[in-house]
Every structure is written in structure tokens, then in C-alpha cells.
Amino acid sequence: IKRHRLSRLVSQDQLASKVPKNKKSKIQDDEGAIDGSTLGGERSMRVESSASSSDVPQLPNPLSDSGILRTHIAAVRLEADLFPIRLLLSRLMVHSQNRKGIFNQPVDAEALGLADYRRIVTRPMDLGTIKRRLHAVAYQSRQEAIEDIRLVFRNAMLYNPPHHPVHISAKELLVYFDRCCQGIDPCLPGPSDLEARTAGGLVSGDAVASSSSSVTEETASAATTESRALTVPGPTGSSSTAECFSVATRNSCSMQDGTNASCPRSALAARRGIRMPKRRSSISQHGKSHACQQCKGRTCSICLQGCLQHEPALLVCFGSNCAGSRIRKGAVYYITKDGSHQFCDRCYPGLPSTLVHSVQNGALRYKQELLKRKNDEEIAEDWITCIECSGGVHLVCAMHNGFVHDESSYLCPGCKTSYSDKLDEGSEMEANEDTVYSFLSGSDDPVPLHTIKNSCSRVLDSDSLPECPVSMFIQEKVKNVMKHSANASKTITIRVISDCKREFSVPKAVRRYFRMASESNDVVTPPPSVQYRQKAIAMFQKIDGLDICVFCMYVQEYNGRADDPSDKRVYIAYIDSVEHFRPRELRTQVFHEILIAYLATARERGYRAAQIWACPPSRGNSFVFWNHPSSQRTPTTERLLAWYHGALSRAIDFGVVTDVKSLYESHFEEQLREISDSPAQVPSRPDAHLKERMICPPLIDGDFWIEEAVRIHHAEIAKHLKVRSQTEVCVWNVGQISDRNLDACPALQVASMLKDRVMTHPSSVPFRRPVNAAAMKLHNYHKIIKNPIDLGTIYSRCLLGEYHELKNVVDDVELMVSNAKTFNPPGHIVSSMATEILGLFYAELNALTNAWKRYSTDGEGVWESYADTSMSLDHLIEVDSVNASSTQPIVLVEDDRSSDGSRSHSSSDGLSSAPLKADNNEAISTDASTAEGKSLTKDNQLDSRKAKSTPSKVLNILTDGPEAVMQRLAGNDPKDTLSSRKPFKNSNKKRRRSSLDSDTVAEVSNRRRQSWLCEEVGLSIRRMRTCFFSCSLLPNDEMSETEHQKLQAYRSYVSVFRGDDEARDLRGFSLADTRSALLELSQFRNFEFDTLRRAKYSTAMLLYHIHHSNAPGTIPSCTSCGGTITEVRWHKVKKVSEISEAKGVPRPKTASGGSDRQPTVREDLCASCYATRQYKDFFIPIPVSLSSQSM
């Protein structure tokens, strides 16, 4: 057998002399970092010789400590070894023989009346307990987990007789499990499997070969089971790290029997005479011997795994059919050029030519400009290569940062010297109250950190982040919850990783239809922007000696308006967690305590209310942590609501929260009742202008009601915008305006005039819809025309009551004509048509105001006399509905797609073109009140069902726990009328009339009010009222005895809070200032949390970037020109392809002409470099929010 010699352990000076001149570099001691790597796919992004310069912050690698390294090696191997059992366990828990999950929960002997169960079954076990321990990596070996699973079925067979159904099911499941275990790859060797100690601490190949010269498969299996105890040895008398890796890092030797020597497991088995199957790759179904450009067939010497795959960038469909669902892998999708919106293949055909929410930087986005791509990216983990043995190590396993460290001096753990294996003098200490503890993989109990750490060097951990009174108080409260678990409280750290000022713009729709609360009768418009302070609170836990971020919460703090500082409130924006927290049984209590403790600090700092929106992420999406563990279920809305009910119930018990209401009850219900009870407004009423708008609920960035108001407003505009199509051929034959058909609302009269008397004219064809600059190839249109407008938009705004006065309508029509003459040269047909349509508009408007003259003594009969007329939908005038002497307008509309013109109808939407009377039971005007009719009908439907529902027992929210909170949120609305889901966007489903009470329908007024948007938003909030929590943090003026007790409990709870120095400035961390920036960096750098191994690496890298916001790798840079990328990053989609090994078969070429043996190079280009690329279809645009200015 041909073997390479095993490297001797040498000193640092000797090692430096052995390194070639072109690879010499500084090898730091245990206080420094592990320098250098070969980063495979990130070569173009590395920092070369400048990595050690003073302008690059240093990143000490925690694996430079030999004790932490040994623990890390054992943990990653154990996690990989237990992973197949987790998959197999999930099958058992849903197996058909596991009826009703009888094996998933512990047997409740007392409830089932099994008095002799504990006597017969001495060691009870269930699959749920095994799942909890597997996910916590509490088993010391795979065999231990297998024996526990077998114990579950053996206990059932032992207690139940053979003919019992439980006995039969257990027997079949045991046979199924044993059969599945035969198909699992053998256990990975632990560190003890590769140890070969000699007197001098050196390792030789002969020693390893002679240690077990003849071992049968059964003996090898037993030996592996015994050696997989994976108890991390203490610092004293422990074997050197190099001994554990001397065999594992030899990946270039070849075996005579064809065994792949690059895999340490295969090499060890070959020396022991065992024939082992090759380990399957984790990248995809490439076969048993996977070899791609990235891994090159290597096996990582730390985790003993091959090629592993990262999660590609998140792609979410913004179409109406998907409502935020993730685009499945392998599917075709369409993406905007700025990367902000994606649409799946199913939603793409239904998109309009001009995309909704498409205005950005003064430019529109069009459907035909969307880029067609396929979601088939595969990202393999990067590798680093040891300069001594040429062995490969995963970048994640090595905890390596390629942007900081030099690539030419990396040493794998097997080639490192044993200088750090000895304890520093004075490092031995006894545990005390201040001792930091850490959980270990393979154990349920934490151990002191100094027992697994050999040096006293400081690294960038969570303890180095600054503290503040809020974080110290929350940490103290969480430790009190965990005090009953031995030393578990000493493993956590809670810090405020971001505390910054933020500002968001209030949408125009909200400012137009809502008003601020005011003591006077003046209408106070909502401000154009609102400022607030945002905090990010994170919890870290030490596992295997390394920090892991397991919880993060983003909160917003609003100090109220300048004229009303008492309206101070906080908003729980985002809460996210990963399941790596230990002990798992305390997970819910600890997360509850973080929320409650924060609300207590907010109350102490003067905030009076708190708002929460219980909205779970869509499946596969992430709030804060990128790529959750596959075993962590995305919570349903019902589970999330139950979680908040329990948290708020505990907050009430501690006296932190004094009352809980639904947002609908606190800010919508009373106002909507007043609006529905009030009659149509007349100008003489002094408070008429106040009734037109509802008092604005709290303006909070990202809150549901604001997003819903914008969505409904856009949907209404888009619906009425299609009133006249450019393909319609209208025969314009209108007569004099008839007083008999005038509506009482001037705004609706103007809308009907535009639709039936202006937009039917042939000259109006270019102005019926917004200009589609992309389809007409008018590339400079939006550069010349800053404020585009058209007749369809003006008509929609009139119907929705968006104009304040008549002169505003005239101004928009004149702007439309001016735009046409500005863009088109004089004499152009469009300019001539614009002049003609403007004259027609003035003529028809004067004719309409002449009709108003008969009912008013103020006007002269021309529109200028009525320029100040209100265009509110609640503004009515008295009209004479008896006079029918005039002729109604006749409008014949033909679809030009019909060859013979036989498809004639009165209008494009099938409704009568004549304006309708105000006292008619039908719609007020064409397309005017459809949405309002539905809204009020639904509202009355809820009221009628509420009246018929049987009253239930009223629970006391102060004493009756989560059930009382749930009942308070639901109010008196029956359950069948409430929904926990968002309203379906642009739903075209038909409404069944039979579902409504006939009496209710008869009482509904179909007139659209000026407050129509407020009513629509209120209806959506009412449907989802159980998802919006409005919590009071102030005690009542008059308190009962129970409330006095709660107040005393609150004072006791916050007695340890010291907020005197709250005003001191925290260090600014721009990376965590926005959730989107943190998630963006995680996707860009593949900082994932799906496994414990990746969570350690991701947390370490994020801590580094939080400490150093300007560190390399934070802001994307172009791999071609090296410049900073702003706005859009053009990312090249990577795919993993096999390396052809067959002789005589030519290696396939890639699309760019390269060989498949060339390593995959990551490409991220700026806009300028992307424009020069030949193969543009391989790139996708990804928006970039981080910039040097923001840092």
C-alpha cells in the first residue's frame, strides 16, 4: 500500500522554516487568529497581502485554543452522526402504525389507570423525548439514540400482551426501524478513533495499522459504538490535537483496493480490514463518489463530511395568487431589474403592463422589462487547504473569515503544533458565582468554560458587547427563570446590539383619508414622516465553548407627537429564534420572559402602551435568522397567537400589562359606529369636515393597517383605471345634460361627465390610460415628464373622493395636456388631440356648472365660479329629479377586436352610461360604490351574526389566564366570522348572496362615503382582530383590590431595574440597525443557522461585523473592478457539476467556455461591469441596502 509519511510535530520556529518562501506568513499564537485559507469559490473576494494591514480589524479565531478545538471537532462529528437518526425518527413519528401518535408522548400511567406500569417498565421512553434530546445533541453516540428508539417499542411489547394492538404496532415499527438502520452509513469516527498515542506523543502509520490488524465487521461496529462516547477530555493529560488528525488529513494517498483514501473513515477501515461503503454526498443526487469543482472529492478533516450545500438566496413571489409564498426550487420566475420584486410563472400572465407599487426614483417598472430566470442555483460550501498536508477543511468548520485572513498559511488541526495543549499557568480555578458555563454536545448539563478552554485569551464573543440598563435587567430576569436548571443561567448573555433613530414616510393614502386627533375643529393631517427609536435585543448562549445567537427581537419606541407627548408607545416589530437553545423545555418560558421584561422597562421609561401584530413568516421565509433548522416548524397563526396569549397572561400576572384589547376595539370600533350612524353630510353642518375622515390609529412603521390601506387604495385605483380601454371605439353622440339624472354629489357628477362625455370622444384615446413608455419604446419619457397623469387616473380619483376642490380636477387635466405638448413636438397628432380634448373638457364642465346654477345663487354659470366646490363624496347638493325634458346621452361603444362591430354595449364594464339618481337603490354611479357596498354588507353581516350568537361566560382578564386574553381579543364577534389570515389580494371569487341575511342587505346603503378607505381598513382589522394586540401599560385611576395587587407585583418585578444611565449613548452598530440589512448580509455571506455547526460560525462572523461595521465583506464589492456595489448587485447563479473521471471522455465545457475542473468562482458585479458581460442570463439582480454612507 502506497502511503505518504505522517508529519512530525514540530515547534513554531521549525514549522516556519519548513514553509516555502512564497507561503511564509505570520502564524499567530493562541491569542491571534488562524490565518490563511484557500477559499475555493471566494478567491476573487479575498483580502490578499493587505489582510494583515492595520486598516483591517483582526478577527481572533476561537479554534486557536486547543481545548475549544477538541470540543468543536467532537460536536460537529456528533451532529453529523446523529443527523440520519433525526430523519428516521421523523418517519417513525408519522408512521401509519403509530396510530394517533401513541408512541410520541410519555405514557400517563395515572390517567390511564395503569397501576403496575412503573413496576414492569423500569425505564420509560417515548419518541418525543428522543426527538428533544436529538435536536439538543444530547446523545453521546448514534448507538445510544438507536437503543432508546428500540427501548420505546420494547417497553410497549413488554407491557402489552402479544395480541394487543399496541404490541402489534410496536413490533412492526421495531422491524421497520431495524430495516432502515441497515441502510444508514456507518458511524463517523470520533477523535478517539484516530488517536494513536506513543511515549513521545508522535503518531506513525504503523502504529495505527497495528492497533487493529484483524477486526471483523461486528467487532468494528462494537468498537465504534464504544469509542463514540465523545466525552471531551479535560485539559490535564489530554492527547494532542494533532494525534486526532494525523490520519484524517491524508487525502492524497491511494489504496490498492480502490478505496478512497481522501476519506479518513475509509482509510481507517481499510487498515482494519473492513469494507465500508462510500459516504453519500450531501450536495445532491450525484452518486456515491461525488466530486465537483468545489470539493474535488475531498473529505473535511474536521467534520469528516464531503460536499455540503448552502441555501441559495430567498426568492418570494409578489403576485396576487401567491401572497408572499416562496418560489419553489427549479421553477421559472420573473424578476425586476432592481431585484425588488419577483413573480412566479403562475402569477406572471395576470400582471398588468405597468406594475403596481412600481414607482421608484421617479421611474416606472413594466411587465415586459422583467427578466426571466430559473431558480436552480446550487451553492457548495467553500473549502480551505492546509499548506502542510494539502488536506481540505470546510470554511465553516474552520471558523475562517476569508476577507480578513491571508490564504497562504492555513494549518489544519492535524498539522498544528501542540504548543497550546498545555494549560497556562494559573488557569486552573474553581467554579464560583461568576464562572461562565457552556453546554456540550453529547451532554445535558453545562460545564465550566475553563474546563474546556486551555488559554485565557479573549475573542470576539457576546460578552464583549456593551451593556445597558435594558439588557442587564432582561438578562437578570431570564436568569431567574433558568435558575432551577443547574448552571444553565450562566451560559446566556443578553445584549442590545442596536439602538438607533429611524424614520419612515407616511403613505399619501393615509394622509389623504385619515386625520390626527385634535381638540379643535380643525382637520390635522397626519405628518409626512414619523421618527422613532429602534432597538434590537439578542440572546446568546454558549454551546461547546462558542457563542450562538438563539433569539432576536426588534422593537420600535415612539415618543408621541410634540403636542401630545403622552402618546408614547412601543411596538414589537419582529421576534425570531432558532431551536438550538438549551434546555429545550425552558425555551418558551425564557422567550416569554424576554418580552415581559422589555415591556416592564418600557413602562418604567414612560411608555404607556404596547402594540403587537402576531404574523408568522411564510414557509421558508425568515425574519432575522437566515435558514432555520429543517426540524424547526414554522409556527401557524394559531400557534403564534397561543404563544402571545401565554406571554401576555404572564405579563398581566406580574402587573406589567394592565389591559389587553384588540386594535379594532381600541381604535376602529367606536369611530366606525359613529360613521355608520351619521347621515349624509351637508355643508351647513359645522363638523362636516371632521366626519369625512377617521382619527388615525397609531402610525407605526410596518404595521398591518397602513399596508392594508395602501393595498386597498392601489386596488381601487387600478380597478377604475380600466373604465375605458384604448381598444374601444366609441360613437360620440351626447346631448344636453339632464337634470333628472344628476347625482347629488358633485364629485360623482364630474366623474360621470369624464367617463361618458369626455373619454368617449375619439381624441381621448391616447389619454385614457397611463403612458406605457416601455411598450412604446419611449426611453426618455419619465426623464422629461416628472408628473404623468391621464384621464383614467383623474376619473378614479374623482370616484374615490381624492380631490379637495373642483379646481384641483381642472389642474390635473391641464397638466395632462401640458405633458402631451411638452413631450410631443408642435404639430404632432397627439398635441393636436390634447388641445381638442382640453376644449371639450371645458365645454362639458361649463355645461355641468350651468346645471348647478339653477340650484345656487352664487355662481355665474361657468366653472370658475364653482372652482372652490368641494369634491368630497359626503358633499351633496339639492337637485331636481323631476325634470326629464332633456335627452339622455347616447354612447355606443364597440370593441375594435370585433370585425363587424356587433359587440355594442353601453360601456366597457356593462353598466349604464347615464348618471344615476342619488335616491336610487342601485349603485350611485358607474363603478362608484361597489367596494363600499361589499364593505358595509360584510360589516352588517358581522353585526347580525353577533346579535344571534349565544353569550358565553365573561372571563376576567386579570385572573383567568390566556383564555381571558383570547376572549377579550375576539370580543363579541362569532368565531366563524373571524379569520387569522390576511385578506386575499385581488380575489376574483364570486360572493354568494345567500350567505347574507336579506334583512341586513335591505338596510345597507350603497353610497360610498368619503371615509370609505377607513371603513375598508376597519373591516379587514375586524376580520383579523385576534391578531392585533393593543396593551395598556398604565394602571387605571380607580383600581380594584385585584388591580392593587397587580401594581404591587409590578413594583416588586421592576425593583432591580436601574434606568438612570439610560440616556447614555450606546455604540452604533449600523449592521443590526435594520433587520433587512442583517438578513441581507447573512444571505450574501451564507451565514446560516440550520445546523449547530453553521450557527457557531454565523454567530462568530456576525459578532465580528457588529464590532467592526466597516470590516471587509460587510458591503458588497464588485469582483471585476473592485468597486463598492450600490443599489443592485448582479449575482452569478452557480451550479454544482460533476468532474468527469472516465478516460477518453472529454470534459464538458461550461457556457462561458471553462472546464468543469475549474473551481467555481463567485461573481458579484456592479451595474457597469454587468453591462459588459456577454452571458447576462447567468446573473440575477439582488437589491443592496448597505452602503458606505450608512456605515
Side-chain angles (χ1 to χ4, degrees):
I1 299 176
K2 182 180 178 180
R3 297 177 182 150
H4 285 264
R5 65 178 182 84
L6 298 177
S7 302
R8 297 184 299 108
L9 298 180
V10 294
S11 64
Q12 283 290 98
D13 298 335
Q14 293 172 334
L15 179 62
S17 64
K18 288 176 177 287
V19 179
K21 292 183 178 180
N22 60 345
K23 292 187 177 181
K24 281 189 178 182
S25 61
K26 180 180 177 181
I27 300 178
Q28 299 182 0
D29 56 8
D30 57 345
E31 296 183 357
I34 298 180
D35 289 344
S37 67
T38 301
L39 273 184
E42 294 196 8
R43 285 191 180 130
S44 58
M45 300 162 55
R46 277 188 223 109
V47 180
E48 302 291 344
S49 59
S50 61
S52 59
S53 60
S54 58
D55 58 337
V56 178
Q58 291 298 315
L59 173 61
N61 195 315
L63 299 187
S64 58
D65 182 278
S66 61
I68 298 294
L69 177 60
R70 274 196 306 274
T71 307
H72 175 66
I73 294 168
V76 296
R77 293 185 183 180
L78 179 59
E79 183 181 24
D81 205 23
L82 294 178
F83 183 76
I85 305 301
R86 294 173 58 175
L87 299 179
L88 185 53
L89 180 67
S90 62
R91 296 184 183 179
L92 293 174
M93 298 185 73
V94 297
H95 197 276
S96 59
Q97 291 295 331
N98 189 4
R99 299 179 179 89
K100 297 183 179 181
I102 56 176
F103 301 106
N104 297 345
Q105 302 295 333
V107 176
D108 192 349
E110 296 181 358
L112 298 175
L114 308 177
D116 57 344
Y117 183 80
R118 298 294 182 183
R119 179 177 56 83
I120 299 176
V121 179
T122 58
R123 189 182 167 217
M125 185 58 60
D126 63 280
L127 298 182
T129 302
I130 298 173
K131 178 182 177 180
R132 177 183 59 81
R133 298 198 65 200
L134 274 175
H135 289 187
V137 198
Y139 284 106
Q140 296 183 354
S141 66
R142 178 192 294 184
Q143 191 64 29
E144 183 181 355
I146 291 176
E147 291 301 325
D148 272 0
I149 295 176
R150 288 172 175 166
L151 181 62
V152 174
F153 305 127
R154 289 170 180 169
N155 286 344
M157 296 168 62
L158 176 64
Y159 186 79
N160 298 279
H163 60 277
H164 197 278
V166 175
H167 183 104
I168 298 174
S169 297
K171 185 176 181 179
E172 293 185 5
L173 287 175
L174 181 59
V175 173
Y176 171 78
F177 175 70
D178 289 338
R179 185 171 63 251
C180 292
C181 286
Q182 296 176 1
I184 301 178
D185 288 342
C187 301
L188 298 178
S192 58
D193 292 331
L194 300 176
E195 291 179 0
R197 304 179 183 178
T198 62
L202 303 179
V203 180
S204 64
D206 296 335
V208 176
S210 62
S211 60
S212 54
S213 57
S214 58
V215 184
T216 61
E217 294 187 5
E218 297 179 358
T219 307
S221 177
T224 304
T225 302
E226 182 179 358
S227 64
R228 288 298 294 151
L230 283 182
T231 55
V232 179
T236 305
S238 61
S239 61
S240 68
T241 308
E243 296 174 3
C244 303
F245 286 86
S246 57
V247 178
T249 56
R250 299 302 172 262
N251 66 341
S252 59
C253 55
S254 59
M255 298 287 182
Q256 292 180 352
D257 57 354
T259 308
N260 183 10
S262 63
C263 178
R265 180 170 55 90
S266 302
L268 183 63
R271 293 189 180 102
R272 293 182 176 180
I274 306 173
R275 187 174 182 180
M276 299 178 63
K278 295 181 180 179
R279 182 174 178 81
R280 291 184 179 179
S281 170
S282 302
I283 191 72
S284 59
Q285 301 298 328
H286 292 301
K288 295 184 178 180
S289 56
H290 168 74
C292 64
Q293 309 102 314
Q294 207 76 358
C295 68
K296 301 177 182 178
R298 295 176 293 181
T299 300
C300 176
S301 59
I302 293 182
C303 68
L304 301 184
Q305 298 184 86
C307 198
L308 301 176
Q309 188 177 17
H310 281 301
E311 187 72 13
L314 178 65
L315 298 174
V316 176
C317 179
F318 287 82
S320 59
N321 296 328
C322 296
S325 299
R326 189 171 186 174
I327 298 177
R328 66 184 185 275
K329 293 184 179 180
V332 175
Y333 68 97
Y334 300 83
I335 185 171
T336 57
K337 290 185 177 180
D338 61 356
S340 59
H341 290 72
Q342 303 92 32
F343 304 95
C344 67
D345 198 22
R346 185 180 64 169
C347 298
Y348 176 77
L351 293 177
S353 58
T354 303
L355 302 182
V356 183
H357 306 287
S358 61
V359 179
Q360 186 176 5
N361 299 329
L364 294 175
R365 291 195 294 267
Y366 300 97
K367 177 180 179 180
Q368 72 173 22
E369 294 180 344
L370 296 178
L371 304 177
K372 184 178 180 180
R373 296 293 185 266
K374 189 175 183 180
N375 187 18
D376 57 353
E377 183 174 18
E378 292 181 345
I379 305 176
E381 280 196 14
D382 293 317
W383 292 72
I384 52 181
T385 304
C386 176
I387 62 173
E388 181 70 17
C389 65
S390 299
V393 179
H394 288 131
L395 177 139
V396 175
C397 294
M399 305 284 289
H400 185 87
N401 188 343
F403 288 89
V404 179
H405 303 141
D406 186 27
E407 68 175 27
S408 60
S409 59
Y410 175 74
L411 290 177
C412 69
C415 297
K416 285 190 63 178
T417 60
S418 59
Y419 70 96
S420 60
D421 286 338
K422 298 180 181 180
L423 275 174
D424 296 335
E425 294 183 2
S427 61
E428 293 186 359
M429 61 184 71
E430 294 183 359
N432 52 43
E433 295 182 356
D434 298 330
T435 301
V436 179
Y437 280 71
S438 173
F439 278 95
L440 291 180
S441 297
S443 176
D444 291 321
D445 299 323
V447 298
L449 183 60
H450 65 262
T451 61
I452 59 176
K453 188 176 181 181
N454 285 353
S455 64
C456 298
S457 60
R458 296 286 296 177
V459 295
L460 292 179
D461 56 5
S462 58
D463 294 329
S464 58
L465 295 173
E467 293 184 287
C468 67
V470 173
S471 65
M472 290 188 293
F473 177 77
I474 297 176
Q475 180 173 292
E476 182 66 24
K477 290 301 178 182
V478 170
K479 288 187 175 182
N480 290 339
V481 174
M482 302 177 64
K483 63 183 179 181
H484 299 294
S485 181
N487 298 318
S489 61
K490 299 179 181 179
T491 64
I492 65 163
T493 303
I494 295 179
R495 293 290 186 269
V496 176
I497 60 176
S498 174
D499 188 359
C500 63
K501 292 182 179 179
R502 302 281 300 170
E503 183 178 1
F504 81 98
S505 300
V506 180
K508 293 182 180 179
V510 174
R511 302 189 65 217
R512 185 178 290 119
Y513 289 96
F514 291 84
R515 64 183 174 89
M516 304 301 293
S518 176
E519 296 181 357
S520 62
N521 288 333
D522 297 332
V523 175
V524 180
T525 305
S529 61
V530 176
Q531 295 183 349
Y532 62 92
R533 196 164 191 88
Q534 180 174 267
K535 285 183 170 66
I537 304 172
M539 182 175 71
F540 303 85
Q541 187 173 43
K542 281 185 169 53
I543 301 177
D544 300 321
L546 302 175
D547 277 319
I548 295 180
C549 188
V550 295
F551 178 89
C552 189
M553 177 173 67
Y554 274 85
V555 297
Q556 301 171 5
E557 300 175 350
Y558 296 83
N559 291 324
R561 294 179 296 163
D563 58 342
D564 187 16
S566 61
D567 188 25
K568 298 182 63 176
R569 64 183 61 245
V570 297
Y571 178 65
I572 309 301
Y574 297 97
I575 293 180
D576 200 0
S577 65
V578 289
E579 65 175 9
H580 302 310
F581 176 80
R582 304 177 187 177
R584 290 178 61 89
E585 57 269 14
L586 294 180
R587 188 165 174 246
T588 300
Q589 298 181 34
V590 168
F591 295 166
H592 279 176
E593 195 66 24
I594 295 176
L595 176 61
I596 296 170
Y598 169 75
L599 293 179
T601 63
R603 178 173 173 177
E604 282 295 291
R605 290 178 289 131
Y607 293 94
R608 302 191 171 199
Q611 285 191 220
I612 302 172
W613 174 20
C615 177
S618 59
R619 187 173 183 180
N621 204 342
S622 302
F623 279 160
V624 180
F625 299 104
W626 172 233
N627 195 13
H628 290 69
S630 58
S631 57
Q632 182 175 351
R633 294 180 297 173
T634 301
T636 61
T637 305
E638 290 72 19
R639 288 184 59 199
L640 187 60
L641 287 176
W643 189 90
Y644 277 113
H645 293 160
L648 295 179
S649 177
R650 289 191 61 196
I652 293 174
D653 293 339
F654 290 127
V656 176
V657 174
T658 58
D659 194 11
V660 178
K661 294 181 180 180
S662 172
L663 180 65
Y664 176 79
E665 181 182 358
S666 60
H667 292 90
F668 284 91
E669 187 173 20
E670 186 64 29
Q671 295 190 74
L672 292 178
R673 185 181 295 111
E674 293 179 359
I675 292 175
S676 62
D677 294 342
S678 62
Q681 305 300 325
V682 291
S684 59
R685 186 166 177 170
D687 60 344
H689 61 290
L690 296 179
K691 297 298 181 181
E692 293 178 357
R693 301 187 182 187
M694 194 180 80
I695 297 178
C696 185
L699 293 171
I700 293 177
D701 189 8
D703 202 4
F704 171 80
W705 78 267
I706 297 180
E707 297 179 356
E708 183 69 2
V710 173
R711 185 193 69 81
I712 294 175
H713 180 262
H714 275 287
E716 290 295 316
I717 289 289
K719 179 179 68 174
H720 298 301
L721 195 63
K722 303 177 182 178
V723 60
R724 293 295 183 199
S725 173
Q726 293 179 346
T727 61
E728 293 177 359
V729 178
C730 303
V731 180
W732 190 70
N733 183 16
V734 296
Q736 185 179 0
I737 294 180
S738 172
D739 298 347
R740 176 177 177 272
N741 297 292
L742 283 180
D743 191 276
C745 178
L748 299 183
Q749 294 181 24
V750 174
S752 297
M753 182 265 293
L754 286 172
K755 175 188 174 184
D756 298 324
R757 310 181 74 87
V758 176
M759 297 177 68
T760 55
H761 195 276
S763 297
S764 67
V765 172
F767 311 104
R768 293 175 182 173
R769 299 281 182 89
V771 176
N772 191 341
M776 302 175 67
K777 299 182 179 180
L778 307 176
H779 303 294
N780 59 342
Y781 180 80
H782 292 289
K783 295 181 180 179
I784 299 175
I785 305 302
K786 302 299 182 181
N787 299 309
I789 194 70
D790 60 278
L791 290 176
T793 302
I794 298 173
Y795 166 76
S796 301
R797 291 180 178 178
C798 288
L799 283 183
L800 302 181
E802 294 194 7
Y803 290 109
H804 295 290
E805 297 174 343
L806 179 61
K807 61 182 178 182
N808 301 131
V809 182
V810 178
D811 291 341
D812 271 0
V813 175
E814 293 178 347
L815 176 62
M816 178 193 68
V817 175
S818 175
N819 290 342
K821 294 183 176 181
T822 300
F823 187 79
N824 299 280
H828 195 276
I829 185 173
V830 176
S831 298
S832 303
M833 297 174 74
T835 303
E836 185 177 359
I837 205 67
L838 181 61
L840 175 64
F841 171 76
Y842 282 142
E844 294 296 336
L845 185 60
N846 285 328
L848 180 62
T849 53
N850 280 329
W852 294 353
K853 179 181 177 181
R854 289 186 285 272
Y855 311 110
S856 174
T857 59
D858 298 335
E860 297 292 336
V862 293
W863 76 267
E864 288 89 350
S865 303
Y866 299 92
D868 296 335
T869 301
S870 174
M871 290 289 103
S872 170
L873 297 180
D874 290 342
H875 178 70
L876 307 180
I877 61 175
E878 296 180 359
V879 294
D880 186 7
S881 59
V882 179
N883 187 1
S885 58
S886 301
T887 305
Q888 298 182 11
I890 302 175
V891 181
L892 299 179
V893 181
E894 297 179 357
D895 194 334
D896 62 354
R897 292 169 296 182
S898 176
S899 58
D900 57 356
S902 60
R903 295 178 57 188
S904 300
H905 48 80
S906 59
S907 64
S908 61
D909 53 4
L911 298 178
S912 174
S913 61
L916 301 179
K917 298 185 297 181
D919 57 351
N920 200 327
N921 291 331
E922 303 296 334
I924 296 300
S925 66
T926 55
D927 296 336
S929 60
T930 304
E932 177 62 15
K934 292 181 180 179
S935 172
L936 294 178
T937 301
K938 295 177 185 177
D939 210 0
N940 283 268
Q941 176 187 358
L942 290 175
D943 293 335
S944 62
R945 293 188 182 182
K946 178 175 65 176
K948 297 178 182 179
S949 59
T950 304
S952 58
K953 178 183 177 182
V954 178
L955 302 178
N956 188 344
I957 196 171
L958 298 178
T959 57
D960 291 336
E963 292 78 11
V965 176
M966 179 175 61
Q967 184 188 75
R968 185 63 178 272
L969 289 174
N972 296 325
D973 290 338
K975 293 183 179 180
D976 60 338
T977 62
L978 302 179
S979 173
S980 59
R981 299 180 179 180
K982 297 181 183 179
F984 193 74
K985 298 182 181 180
N986 301 332
S987 177
N988 295 323
K989 294 182 179 180
K990 296 181 179 180
R991 308 287 183 178
R992 292 191 306 171
R993 194 64 173 266
S994 58
S995 62
L996 305 177
D997 296 336
S998 57
D999 297 338
T1000 303
V1001 175
E1003 297 175 359
V1004 173
S1005 173
N1006 288 325
R1007 170 172 291 279
R1008 182 192 293 272
R1009 303 172 185 268
Q1010 185 64 28
S1011 58
W1012 68 270
L1013 183 61
C1014 310
E1015 298 176 32
E1016 287 286 338
V1017 174
L1019 177 63
S1020 298
I1021 296 293
R1022 184 175 185 179
R1023 289 285 187 184
M1024 300 173 57
R1025 63 183 301 169
T1026 57
C1027 299
F1028 306 102
F1029 301 83
S1030 182
C1031 309
S1032 175
L1033 302 180
L1034 288 182
N1036 298 325
D1037 296 334
E1038 297 180 0
M1039 295 185 294
S1040 62
E1041 182 179 355
T1042 304
E1043 291 174 331
H1044 278 289
Q1045 295 175 358
K1046 299 295 183 183
L1047 181 59
Q1048 294 298 325
Y1050 165 73
R1051 291 174 179 174
S1052 175
Y1053 185 82
V1054 298
S1055 60
V1056 297
F1057 178 68
R1058 297 292 181 266
D1060 300 335
D1061 56 344
E1062 175 65 21
R1064 70 182 181 91
D1065 293 333
L1066 278 176
R1067 179 182 175 184
F1069 301 125
S1070 56
L1071 173 62
D1073 285 350
T1074 59
R1075 176 196 64 90
S1076 59
L1078 189 62
L1079 194 58
E1080 177 185 320
L1081 178 66
S1082 299
Q1083 295 187 27
F1084 170 55
R1085 296 285 306 280
N1086 301 122
F1087 297 155
E1088 304 176 43
F1089 289 82
D1090 57 334
T1091 63
L1092 200 61
R1093 179 182 69 99
R1094 287 177 174 172
K1096 297 174 187 176
Y1097 172 76
S1098 301
T1099 302
M1101 296 301 108
L1102 289 176
L1103 283 173
Y1104 171 70
H1105 286 284
I1106 289 175
H1107 276 282
H1108 310 289
S1109 57
N1110 293 320
T1114 305
I1115 303 175
S1117 58
C1118 180
T1119 57
S1120 179
C1121 65
T1124 301
I1125 299 177
T1126 58
E1127 296 183 357
V1128 180
R1129 169 170 60 96
W1130 290 94
H1131 170 69
K1132 184 177 182 180
V1133 175
K1134 298 189 298 184
K1135 299 179 182 179
V1136 176
S1137 59
E1138 290 287 333
I1139 297 177
S1140 302
E1141 297 291 347
K1143 295 182 180 181
V1145 178
R1147 289 190 291 266
K1149 302 291 184 179
T1150 60
S1152 57
S1155 172
D1156 67 344
R1157 282 192 179 273
Q1158 295 178 354
T1160 304
V1161 178
R1162 179 169 187 168
E1163 287 191 59
D1164 290 282
L1165 305 179
C1166 60
S1168 301
C1169 295
Y1170 167 75
T1172 63
R1173 286 294 188 270
Q1174 179 181 1
Y1175 301 97
K1176 291 184 171 61
D1177 292 342
F1178 297 131
F1179 293 85
I1180 61 173
I1182 298 178
V1184 175
S1185 59
L1186 290 172
S1187 62
S1188 56
Q1189 290 79 11
S1190 64
M1191 310 302 282

